Structure formats: structure tokens, C-alpha cells
Amino acid sequence: MAKLTVNDIDGRNKRVLMRVDYNVPIEEKDGQMVITDDTRIRETIPTLDVLINRGARIILAAHLGRPKGKREPSMSLRPVAVKLADMIARPVAFLDDCIGDKVENTANALKPGDILLLENVRYYAEEEANDPAFAEKLAKIADIYVNDAFGAAHRAHASTEAVARVVAKRGGPCVAGLLMERELKFLGEELQNPPRPFVVILGGAKVSDKIKVIDRLLDKADAILIGGAMAYTFKLAQGLKVGKSLAEPDKVNLAREALEKAKQRNVKFLLPVDNIVATPVPTAKLDKKGRPVMDLQNPRALSDPNIPDSEDGVDIGPATIKAYSEVIAGAKTILWNGPMGIFEDPRFAEGTFGVARAVADATQKNGAKSIIGGGDSVKALNTAKLGDKVTFMSTGGGASLEFLEGLELPGVAALADK
Ligand code: AMP
């Protein structure tokens, strides 16, 4: 069911509490906290514009990182206020708290069109506990609640869920922002009855993370193309050898069931026909868990479906890129989530970039609708400078996966239906 949005409310002079996803990557450089990717801030500007034009008094709430209920200075949202002000060329006030008298007094003094950003809601443990009393405190400054934080909507937290319940109970509108609306449209409505062929590309590390999405999409897709380490669990299910590749032997049954379901439903289920492999050699360095960091040496393409015991599969090979690109070229709707290999290493990025090019081409040349389900695939498209060549890129990682699984996201459920 579609949700009411900021376009459906009259915000004039109202105090609008807007939950945003400003969980941006931030690094210390020369004693300054620097935001290294401002996409999430930029994505909220259309909603802010609507509220500013309507003369709302805007109070923004967000989280940054995982301070786990403590005031962790490196996770302050102060630099985000500065960045936002810069991006929208108007003042953005900042307060070092998100509840209490100071917040109420400042919010009450806001004029139409003014913007106030509150400090990290996760400085309070009550936020992640979805604590009702904390939600009451947050709601004190909200005549209207807007949620534009799709990336946080899969969590039932006080600022995404309980606060909306409080506002709604006293008759205040609880509506979606324009980014939230777009996410729900592309990941939801547009995939209900997609123009066919509908091609799904899934990659990434683990079958276990994506098996529910696979299962659901097997009911809808015409073809599913598998890449990433996930492919090796499917290869195990087919009785093939995967050498030292990342795989989940305990999930082989799930993989087998998916292969069986694909056959029954007549869904093309493609696995890599060749791989880029490398020889892992332990280095003197240890990772966070105390295991030796591996140096991946001697990368090469291997067309044998069995990977030798000493080798690690790190990307899809050239024949697979070609085969997948052909299927993608025939698609009318494309959904892509997850890289085809360890694309963070340029030596193993060609599979992911090849798929990115095929998706961009299908969109631009054939008019296919391409929907990118967030996370690493978005990163890969942006790195390849193809971000503007696809139809839609989700800002949610975990949220988009859960939504694609068909789950109702708590932060969405709490908003009013149209
Ligand atoms: P996910 O979060 O499940 O989408 O997984 C993304 C991660 O999977 C990325 O960090 C990739 O480096 C990793 N990945 C993809 N393919 C492989 C592979 N063949 N071996 C190891 N890691 C991989």
C-alpha cells in the first residue's frame, strides 16, 4: 500500500521532525572530521525543498555509526550540519543533544523554513531499544513526523518506529519523504509486475544473506545470474570442487533447493562457467580475528569448472561476463544486488564492472528498467562512473535486501497509508 508523503501535508509553521539517513562515511584528516561521500545528504534535499517551500519548521534526527549509547565524539553529526548548510546554501543549526529542554526551546523558536539538526540519536541506548519513553521525548517537538531514512527503516528503533506511533496517536501526520517514496516505488511497486524478461543478478559473499531474496525472486524472475563467492556454494551443491574459495558448505542444501525450484519454475539459473582464480599465500599480517591475511597471487582465468585445491575463486571469468552480458542485453527489467568478485581489488573487479557496463547499456540502448539494490553494486557503478546510466540506485543496503525479501519494514509500517 502506498504511503502518504510530504506532498500530502500542509506543513506551514508546523514543527516537522524528519528522520534522515545521514550515516555517512566520515574520516579524520588533519584533526578535522571529513565526510568522504555525501550521497545520503544530497538525497534528502528534494524532501527538504518541499518542506522549506511550504514554510515548515524542520528538525532533523539521524544516527551516525554505532556509538552504542555513549557520547562518542568521532560519531557526532556536527560536521554533517556544516556540510548540509553548504550543500543547500542556507543555515543549518546544530544542537549537541536530541531530547530535553534545550532541544524543545530551540525547536519552538524555529521560523518557517529554518532547519535544525539534532545530535546522534544513538548516543542514547534507548534509541536502538525502541524505548517508548525515549520516543515520547523525541516526539515532544513533532507536530508532524516525516521518515526519509529508507536505509534505517528495517530497524524498529525509537526514531524510526516508536516516535511515529506517538505522533500518530495524538493525531499528527506520519508520512514518507520523497526519497523513501522513490525507494518503495522502485523496490516495491515497479517489481510487482515487471516488464519481461525480468533478469535478476545476485552476487556478494554469502548465500545465507540472500537465500530469502533468491527464493522470493524465483517466483517472479525469468533469469537469475549468480556471481561472487555465493556462486561457490551453488557449485558445491552441483558436486563441483571450489578449492580455497569462500563458500558455505553448511548451506549447500539451501542452494540445492533453490536450483531445484528454478528448474520446476522454468527460471534460467546461471552460474559462472569460468572464474578468475588466485593462489592465497599467508602474509605476516593478522586480521581483526587474528587470522593471517592472505596475499592473492598469480591471478588467472580458469575455464575448468572445478577449482584446484590450492586456488581461490575471486571473480567471474571472461566467458561468464560475456554470457551474463548477453542475457542482460535481452532484459526489460533488471534487478542487481551484490558484486561478482572481490571488486575492491582492481585485479578482481572486471566481472563486476563488466556486469555494470552491461546493465548500463541495456538501460541506455534498449530502454530496460534497471534497479540497483544498494550497497556494493552502487559503489561499483559509481566507481565505473555509470551511476547516472541506470534507472534507480537504492540508498539502503540491509533495508533494500529485507524489503526485497518481502518483509514489512517497521519504519515503513509506522507511516500512514494513502
Ligand atoms: P555482500 O555484502 O554479501 O554483498 O558481499 C560483498 C562482499 O563480497 C565484497 O566485499 C566482496 O569483496 C565479497 N566477495 C565477492 N566475491 C567474492 C569472492 N569470490 N571471494 C571472496 N569475497 C568475495
Side-chain angles (χ1 to χ4, degrees):
M1 169 91 71
K3 298 286 171 181
L4 288 180
T5 77
V6 277
N7 283 324
D8 300 313
I9 52 162
D10 173 18
R12 173 144 300 276
N13 226 350
K14 296 281 180 6
R15 296 167 308 166
V16 175
L17 178 65
M18 173 167 156
R19 178 57 158 97
V20 285
D21 181 6
Y22 286 169
N23 189 24
V24 290
I26 194 162
E27 278 171 18
E28 195 183 327
K29 274 189 196 145
D30 304 326
Q32 296 258 23
M33 296 308 284
V34 178
I35 294 162
T36 54
D37 182 347
D38 60 18
T39 309
R40 286 180 165 163
I41 305 174
R42 193 168 350 102
E43 295 276 4
T44 64
I45 294 176
T47 309
L48 289 173
D49 281 342
V50 171
L51 291 172
I52 293 166
N53 288 335
R54 294 192 173 188
R57 297 143 72 200
I58 305 160
I59 304 129
L60 301 172
H63 78 276
L64 179 61
R66 297 194 168 136
K68 299 212 181 297
K70 298 214 171 60
R71 282 194 164 264
E72 173 54 60
S74 66
M75 295 177 195
S76 170
L77 283 163
R78 189 182 289 275
V80 175
V82 176
K83 185 80 186 175
L84 174 63
D86 193 37
M87 291 169 85
I88 58 173
R90 48 195 300 141
V92 174
F94 177 78
L95 263 186
D96 62 1
D97 211 335
C98 62
I99 52 168
D101 291 346
K102 201 165 46 176
V103 171
E104 280 169 57
N105 294 338
T106 312
N108 291 340
L110 291 175
K111 307 243 167 2
D114 281 356
I115 302 177
L116 165 68
L117 174 63
L118 304 177
E119 184 54 288
N120 194 341
V121 285
R122 289 197 187 167
Y123 278 4
Y124 289 89
E126 293 94 324
E127 161 65 5
E128 292 191 65
N130 204 14
D131 181 84
F134 180 69
E136 291 276 355
K137 290 180 194 167
L138 283 172
K140 281 207 164 150
I141 46 153
D143 303 314
I144 294 172
Y145 174 77
V146 174
N147 193 342
D148 215 14
F150 178 75
H154 57 316
R155 312 268 186 229
H157 290 171
S159 69
T160 60
E161 207 268 347
V163 70
R165 306 281 178 203
V166 177
V167 174
K169 205 159 144 200
R170 54 178 198 231
C174 294
V175 302
L178 301 182
L179 171 62
M180 174 74 88
E181 184 189 34
R182 263 166 68 73
E183 296 273 6
L184 300 178
K185 172 176 179 279
F186 281 104
L187 296 176
E189 290 151 44
E190 297 273 335
L191 296 180
Q192 295 268 323
N193 285 306
R196 298 186 176 281
F198 175 28
V199 174
V200 175
I201 311 154
L202 289 171
K206 291 181 178 167
V207 166
S208 49
D209 286 346
K210 299 199 179 148
I211 191 69
K212 289 196 196 122
V213 175
I214 295 175
D215 192 54
R216 184 144 189 273
L217 291 171
L218 275 168
D219 292 333
K220 289 217 166 119
D222 298 293
I224 298 189
L225 318 180
I226 301 282
M230 218 166 80
Y232 301 118
T233 305
F234 283 100
K235 284 191 171 266
L236 284 177
Q238 292 179 320
L240 295 165
K241 292 202 169 122
V242 300
K244 289 205 160 42
S245 309
L246 183 62
E248 295 172 282
D250 58 329
K251 297 292 180 302
V252 163
N253 277 343
L254 288 179
R256 207 171 279 135
E257 280 165 26
L259 289 169
E260 193 48 45
K261 186 168 171 181
K263 207 187 282 169
Q264 281 164 12
R265 307 244 152 166
N266 227 354
V267 177
K268 247 192 226 170
F269 200 92
L270 268 58
L271 292 168
V273 290
D274 62 346
N275 293 277
I276 303 298
V277 298
T279 316
V281 179
T283 62
K285 284 189 224 144
L286 297 177
D287 67 11
K288 277 184 203 149
K289 291 185 180 159
R291 294 170 307 201
V293 172
M294 294 291 171
D295 187 20
L296 292 165
Q297 295 181 357
N298 190 22
R300 63 206 180 280
L302 180 79
S303 52
D304 189 327
N306 284 299
I307 295 177
D309 288 348
S310 59
E311 304 302 298
D312 185 352
V314 288
D315 195 7
I316 58 174
T320 307
I321 298 177
K322 189 160 175 281
Y324 285 11
S325 298
E326 278 166 18
V327 177
I328 293 165
K332 280 276 169 284
T333 309
I334 302 163
L335 173 67
W336 179 22
N337 180 291
M340 298 290 102
I342 310 177
F343 77 109
E344 297 89 340
D345 184 327
R347 297 174 300 165
F348 316 132
E350 193 40 42
T352 304
F353 288 158
V355 162
R357 281 193 294 273
V359 172
D361 276 354
T363 316
Q364 297 300 313
K365 294 184 187 155
N366 311 343
K369 195 175 290 168
S370 51
I371 298 167
I372 316 302
D376 284 330
S377 326
V378 168
K379 223 181 277 170
L381 274 161
N382 284 333
T383 310
K385 306 231 180 316
L386 296 171
D388 60 348
K389 301 280 185 284
V390 295
T391 312
F392 179 72
M393 296 200 292
S394 175
T395 53
S400 53
L401 266 188
E402 287 194 21
F403 194 62
L404 290 170
E405 282 173 20
L407 297 176
E408 186 169 43
L409 308 184
V412 177
L415 304 176
D417 293 329
K418 268 219 200 269

